């Protein structure tokens, strides 16, 4: 199949999900989501925020400075297919939604000790399963590393996993409510606190379809693999993707087409021609 002639799977939709870093104006998280409605499958692909792209600022999270449409363009170019919808989540809305479902039980993966007075953040959590209200859930999601540099051993890869796990946990609580009044409250929170090109009718339709989804078996996720120690044209700590492995993950998780994407469809910027390190035997 020639590039540009790919056929979409029936009723399969693609989304850019992001939120803003309040201190820098960059995207704090970047995620591609594909929803195959007939088969009730959702794929969630985290794109590390420092992913190297062929743009004036070589880190993908900086593409948000020119607006969500620009970030959407850069992400779509990278993964090789257009993104139908975008959702920019406001942190206040996330807090309100978690509180509306009565909080969540969540397994905090690492010790979290971090203060940032400029953002009014005081993050103090021991690892393990615990009840989190909206504020606490937001703080766990925003945590990157402790003041002494400790935190996630794999950095943004594991932070992205925490974000995906939190989203799934909150979604499970939302769909567990059968009350029409409660569902209307959730929809109101979303409509007031997200920037999106989804209409109210779109939101209502997707919410109705998602009620049929088995969140234990129907949702799969991952994060694009690469090397986060790369310096490119003076910019340090860029995350250069492993091209072959990233292509495989895109096809496995979020490809909306009936045929597999190829390297010619994607635009993964790898000036150093990285490949994944060989596994130790």
């Amino acid at each position: 199949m020639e590039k540009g002639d790919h056929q979409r799977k029936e009723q399969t939709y693609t989304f850019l999900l992001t939120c803003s870093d309040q201190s820098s104006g960059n995207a704090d998280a970047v995620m591609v989501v594909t929803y195959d409605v007939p088969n009730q499958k959702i794929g969630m692909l985290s794109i590390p925020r420092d992913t190297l792209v062929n743009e004036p600022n070589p880190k993908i999270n900086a593409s948000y400075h020119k607006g969500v449409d620009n970030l959407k363009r850069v992400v779509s170019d990278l993964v090789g297919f257009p993104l139908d919808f975008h959702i920019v989540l406001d942190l206040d809305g996330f807090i309100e939604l978690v509180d509306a479902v009565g909080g969540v039980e969540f397994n905090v993966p690492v010790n979290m000790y971090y203060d940032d007075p400029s953002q009014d953040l005081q993050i103090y959590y021991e690892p393990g399963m615990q009840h989190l209200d909206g504020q606490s859930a937001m703080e766990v999601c925003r945590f990157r590393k402790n003041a002494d540099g400790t935190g996630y051993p794999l950095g943004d890869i594991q932070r992205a996993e925490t974000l995906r796990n939190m989203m799934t946990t909150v979604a499970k609580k939302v769909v567990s409510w059968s009350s029409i009044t409660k569902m209307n409250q959730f929809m109101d929170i979303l409509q007031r606190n997200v920037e999106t090109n989804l209409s109210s009718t779109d939101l209502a339709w997707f919410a109705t379809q998602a009620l049929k989804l088995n969140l234990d078996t129907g949702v799969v996720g991952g994060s694009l693999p690469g090397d986060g120690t790369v310096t490119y044209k003076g910019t340090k700590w860029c995350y250069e993707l492993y091209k072959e492995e990233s292509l495989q993950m895109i096809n496995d998780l979020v490809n909306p087409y009936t045929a597999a994407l190829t390297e010619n469809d994607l635009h993964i910027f790898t000036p150093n021609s990285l490949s994944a390190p060989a596994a130790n035997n």
Side-chain angles (χ1 to χ4, degrees):
M1 183 176 292
E2 295 296 328
K3 182 181 178 183
D5 291 338
H6 291 297
Q7 182 178 353
R8 275 285 188 101
K9 298 174 185 174
E10 182 182 359
Q11 286 193 312
T12 297
Y13 304 94
T14 57
F15 305 80
L16 169 68
L17 184 61
T18 189
C19 60
S20 174
D21 185 322
Q22 293 179 321
S23 63
S24 69
N26 293 332
D28 190 44
V30 180
M31 191 178 299
V32 172
V33 177
T34 295
Y35 185 13
D36 180 343
V37 176
N39 293 302
Q40 285 297 303
K41 292 182 179 179
I42 289 180
M44 305 171 69
L45 181 67
S46 298
I47 300 176
R49 50 183 278 155
D50 294 332
T51 293
L52 184 62
V53 290
N54 191 17
E55 296 288 321
N57 188 317
K59 293 186 178 183
I60 199 167
N61 63 344
S63 298
Y64 186 63
H65 275 280
K66 293 183 179 180
V68 67
D69 285 338
N70 187 61
L71 178 62
K72 194 173 175 181
R73 172 189 64 80
V74 174
V75 173
S76 176
D77 193 52
L78 187 153
V79 299
F81 54 83
L83 299 170
D84 303 319
F85 304 105
H86 63 262
I87 301 173
V88 183
L89 182 61
D90 179 85
L91 292 178
D92 290 338
F94 177 76
I95 293 170
E96 187 178 352
L97 182 61
V98 174
D99 285 338
V101 299
V104 293
E105 302 299 318
F106 191 75
N107 188 17
V108 177
V110 295
N111 279 301
M112 297 181 177
Y113 297 100
Y114 179 75
D115 280 300
D116 187 347
S118 67
Q119 299 187 66
D120 195 27
L121 281 177
Q122 297 85 37
I123 302 176
Y124 296 98
Y125 298 98
E126 299 285 344
M129 187 67 71
Q130 52 205 279
H131 183 80
L132 302 177
D133 63 10
Q135 179 68 25
S136 299
M138 180 274 290
E139 291 169 354
V140 168
C141 287
R142 294 200 66 191
F143 174 79
R144 296 187 69 194
K145 61 182 178 181
N146 298 310
D148 63 1
T150 61
Y152 292 114
L154 298 180
D156 203 44
I157 295 293
Q158 286 176 287
R159 179 177 184 253
E161 182 180 11
T162 297
L163 293 174
R164 292 194 306 273
N165 289 341
M166 181 68 77
M167 288 174 57
T168 303
T169 300
V170 174
K172 286 179 179 179
K173 285 294 292 285
V174 168
V175 300
S176 70
W177 292 86
S178 58
S179 165
I180 297 298
T181 301
K182 202 69 175 176
M183 291 304 297
N184 287 338
Q185 180 187 358
F186 299 151
M187 290 295 295
D188 175 65
I189 292 170
L190 289 175
Q191 288 174 333
R192 288 188 287 105
N193 292 283
V194 298
E195 175 190 346
T196 183
N197 60 337
L198 286 158
S199 68
S200 297
T201 302
D202 292 334
L203 280 170
W205 186 81
F206 280 116
T208 301
Q209 299 306 310
L211 290 173
K212 308 171 189 176
L213 184 70
N214 185 329
L215 289 168
D216 291 318
T217 60
V219 180
V220 292
S223 187
L224 289 178
D227 179 1
T229 66
V230 172
T231 297
Y232 178 73
K233 292 187 176 180
T235 300
K236 297 181 178 180
W237 304 109
C238 295
Y239 189 89
E240 188 171 345
L241 299 176
Y242 299 140
K243 183 173 287 188
E244 292 181 7
E245 293 75 14
S246 294
L247 172 62
Q248 183 65 51
M249 186 166 284
I250 290 168
N251 273 318
D252 289 346
L253 294 180
V254 294
N255 179 7
Y257 296 127
T258 56
L261 294 161
T262 70
E263 286 193 12
N264 289 332
D265 296 311
L266 278 58
H267 294 90
I268 294 176
F269 187 46
T270 54
N272 295 324
S273 301
L274 284 179
S275 58
N280 294 325
N281 294 323

